[in-house]
Amino acid sequence: MNIKYFWSREFLAKSWFLWLLLICNGLGTIYGYIWYGAQLQYTAEFRPWWQLPFVPDSPTASLFFCLALILLLYPPKRMAGILLQPLIQALAVVTSIKYGIWACVMIFAGAAQGNELVWQDWMLVASHSAMAIEVLLYVRLFHLQSPALIAAITYTLLNDMIDYSFMVFPWLPSVLNDDLIAVEVFTFSLTLFSGALAWWAMRAAGRAPRDMITGR
């Protein structure tokens, strides 16, 4: 069997593989919210409540991807679901690319300034790299549309603005605290790059047929 088969549209659309990805990403999402537990608690105690949803960036991106997978397994039949599907999938693509890359860059930027890499860092590098790769593979099966993509980019830019205006961005390695302006510029730029990459992937892949999912 040609190794290319394992990232072909036919293989990626198999229901058992979608379920496997959903379970893995679901567990990763739960772990991600636990990882943000201390920052969520701090924000709840010292910040307005409305800032809480903007704290856990990576697990929320992973949550969007989980919802996108569910919509592939169970295509919506009602109008509300059909209209919502492209937005959820666009959010999954833009945020997963953005935070998948962002986390890896921050980890290695901290290491370049003397922060010691431990096994958890390598685990985060692997999992966040997978976030970016898997959504790019699944663009071919998603029902992305330009308006939904614009909305997803706008949401992610809003998240960036709140993160750095109200200081609820993900806690950084301590050695990067004096590089906050550079981190902020990189973060906003990465959102635009992720949106552009998602748009390119959408244009390159075209739309996938709704009846593709198979258990075979």
Side-chain angles (χ1 to χ4, degrees):
M1 182 180 296
N2 194 318
I3 193 172
K4 292 182 179 180
Y5 172 74
F6 293 103
W7 57 80
S8 68
R9 186 176 291 186
E10 179 184 358
F11 178 78
L12 295 174
K14 290 187 178 296
S15 59
W16 68 265
F17 189 69
L18 289 170
W19 274 110
L20 178 62
L21 275 183
L22 180 59
I23 292 170
C24 291
N25 281 274
L27 292 174
T29 300
I30 294 170
Y31 177 80
Y33 283 113
I34 294 172
W35 180 274
Y36 274 89
Q39 187 173 358
L40 285 168
Q41 182 177 357
Y42 175 87
T43 304
E45 291 178 1
F46 299 104
R47 303 281 185 174
W49 65 268
W50 62 266
Q51 295 178 9
L52 278 170
F54 297 96
V55 172
D57 294 332
S58 293
T60 300
S62 180
L63 177 61
F64 285 140
F65 185 62
C66 288
L67 294 174
L69 292 176
I70 291 172
L71 289 170
L72 286 180
L73 285 163
Y74 302 100
K77 294 180 173 57
R78 296 186 178 182
M79 183 58 65
I82 293 172
L83 293 175
L84 193 60
Q85 183 180 36
L87 177 60
I88 292 175
Q89 293 175 336
L91 285 166
V93 174
V94 174
T95 59
S96 293
I97 294 172
K98 188 261 183 73
Y99 294 115
I101 296 173
W102 188 92
C104 294
V105 170
M106 291 304 111
I107 289 171
F108 288 125
Q113 295 195 34
N115 195 54
E116 182 182 1
L117 292 180
V118 296
W119 71 267
Q120 290 97 331
D121 294 315
W122 293 109
M123 179 268 294
L124 290 172
V125 167
S127 60
H128 283 78
S129 297
M131 283 176 59
I133 294 169
E134 64 188 3
V135 292
L136 285 172
L137 289 174
Y138 272 89
V139 164
R140 291 174 291 172
L141 275 69
F142 288 166
H143 299 76
L144 294 185
Q145 300 171 357
S146 295
L149 198 53
I150 292 170
I153 295 168
T154 302
Y155 163 82
T156 311
L157 287 171
L158 173 65
N159 188 91
D160 295 342
M161 183 184 70
I162 291 174
D163 274 358
Y164 294 94
S165 296
F166 298 96
M167 300 297 145
V168 291
F169 53 84
W171 287 344
L172 299 166
S174 58
V175 293
L176 296 181
N177 287 336
D178 58 349
D179 298 312
L180 188 55
I181 293 178
V183 171
E184 181 178 355
V185 171
F186 172 73
T187 300
F188 276 89
S189 301
L190 186 57
T191 295
L192 297 176
F193 169 79
S194 300
L197 185 57
W199 182 86
W200 173 84
M202 178 188 71
R203 298 291 294 179
R207 284 194 170 190
R210 289 181 179 272
D211 59 352
M212 182 177 293
I213 307 305
T214 175
R216 296 192 298 273

